[in-house]
Amino acid sequence: MKHEDWMRLALNQAEKAAEDDEVPIGAVIVQNGQVLSIAHNQKEQEQDPTAHAEIIAIRRAAEAVGHWRLSEAVLYVTLEPCPMCAGAIIQSRIKHLVYGANDPKGGAVESVAKLLRDSLWNHKVEITAGVLEEECSILLKNYFKRKRTC
């Protein structure tokens, strides 16, 4: 499968988040062509500020492989990760991050900070940005547009 195919799975998860009145962000972790985990934002449902799609997906993937090192895994997420999620990506040793839309207000990969590009870390993450960017962005924009009119 291609990056776009995996990102479509993440978009499906983002749509589920929107259905649950959560910010529509979805994540998928893949290793050796197999899905290890899928997740979407659940902050409101869980009343947990750490219940971001990426964090949930990382926890589930670590459980699936039986250890915390995800050094051969690829994380697909519909929005550029925040600082917390970027830290979790480094700590879990994710090999490759693929994300859709940039987050100009909170992104910690390219937009506001460049945490995953910092040479201070002992782990380097391969980054691919802008995969299905328009679809990811439209989903978020439509969600917030609906929230503002309610």
Side-chain angles (χ1 to χ4, degrees), residues 17-35:
E19 290 169 9
D20 293 342
D21 202 26
E22 298 274 0
V23 175
I25 300 170
V28 175
I29 298 183
V30 177
Q31 184 171 287
N32 300 322
Q34 301 293 316
V35 173

Side-chain angles (χ1 to χ4, degrees), residues 129-148:
V131 175
L132 300 183
E133 180 175 13
E134 186 172 348
E135 292 93 326
C136 294
S137 181
I138 287 170
L139 183 62
L140 284 157
K141 286 176 183 175
N142 288 343
Y143 171 81
F144 286 113
K145 190 177 191 180
R146 281 192 307 275
K147 293 295 278 183
R148 285 186 207 102

Side-chain angles (χ1 to χ4, degrees), residues 51-85:
H52 289 204
E54 301 96 308
I55 300 294
I56 296 167
I58 288 169
R59 287 179 182 150
R60 289 176 180 168
E63 186 176 325
V65 298
H67 54 84
W68 62 268
R69 287 178 194 85
L70 301 173
S71 57
E72 295 303 314
V74 181
L75 168 61
Y76 293 86
V77 63
T78 56
L79 184 67
E80 177 183 3
C82 71
M84 175 182 68
C85 294

